[in-house]
Amino acid sequence: MIGAIIAKRKVRSAYDSLNRRDLSSFLANWREDATFIYYGAAFVSGRFEGKKAIGQFAQKYWEQFPKWNITVKNIMVQNIFAFGSTNVVAVEWDLALTDREGRNFQESAVSIIRIKRGKAVLVCDYKDPEADRKAWGENKV
């Protein structure tokens, strides 16, 4: 059970660092060879390999959305006894966004995070592709 407590704390801390736009704290939770997959239909969707590419994606997101807030709703841990080893965490979250034009958007998503030795090795974000396209300005509302 201690493994689940540690995993949940680390995940909450990572999402808190996103809300603060603290890139170095956020990236400290990733392995150098990590992969982030941003599923969807928006032009920014894709696969980002390595911490540098993941950091560049975060910067691009922050440029598009000057205001944002992630609210973590639930965190589920696959192996509650895993302590410092491999594990899988699912995070359900809501996101309130304001783009550069002042338009507001609400999204809900789930992230699946594969952890190896306490750091993210693979993260996949799943969200509504049409809501994502609208937020990125591909379907003006």
Side-chain angles (χ1 to χ4, degrees), residues 13 15-23 25-26 62 68:
S13 174
Y15 281 89
D16 288 344
S17 65
L18 282 173
N19 279 333
R20 291 190 317 272
R21 297 177 184 246
D22 182 347
L23 189 60
S25 291
F26 174 67
W62 292 334
W68 79 343

Side-chain angles (χ1 to χ4, degrees), residues 50-69:
K51 274 175 122 171
K52 182 178 178 181
I54 294 164
Q56 289 170 340
F57 176 84
Q59 291 285 15
K60 186 176 203 169
Y61 214 99
W62 292 334
E63 289 169 12
Q64 176 69 15
F65 304 105
K67 292 182 184 176
W68 79 343
N69 186 60

Side-chain angles (χ1 to χ4, degrees), residues 83-140:
F83 183 72
S85 63
T86 301
N87 212 333
V88 178
V89 177
V91 184
E92 178 187 15
W93 47 275
D94 290 333
L95 179 60
L97 297 166
T98 303
D99 70 8
R100 292 179 290 193
E101 296 174 16
R103 294 176 303 160
N104 296 313
F105 301 92
Q106 299 283 338
E107 297 185 19
S108 294
V110 172
S111 295
I112 305 299
I113 306 167
R114 296 191 187 280
I115 298 169
K116 186 174 182 180
R117 294 191 183 112
K119 295 194 178 209
V121 67
L122 174 64
V123 176
C124 301
D125 278 0
Y126 299 92
K127 42 202 303 206
D128 178 353
E130 285 310 307
D132 203 36
R133 286 174 51 95
K134 287 178 185 175
W136 281 93
E138 294 178 34
N139 289 340
K140 299 276 184 191

Side-chain angles (χ1 to χ4, degrees), residues 1-12 75-90 113 115-119:
M1 195 120 134
I2 190 79
I5 293 168
I6 292 169
K8 286 180 177 186
R9 281 187 184 162
K10 285 190 71 90
V11 166
R12 282 200 189 278
I75 302 173
M76 291 75 59
V77 179
Q78 183 178 47
N79 183 351
I80 63 170
F81 300 108
F83 183 72
S85 63
T86 301
N87 212 333
V88 178
V89 177
I113 306 167
I115 298 169
K116 186 174 182 180
R117 294 191 183 112
K119 295 194 178 209

Side-chain angles (χ1 to χ4, degrees), residues 40-51:
F43 71 94
V44 296
S45 300
R47 182 181 188 97
F48 304 89
E49 304 278 347
K51 274 175 122 171

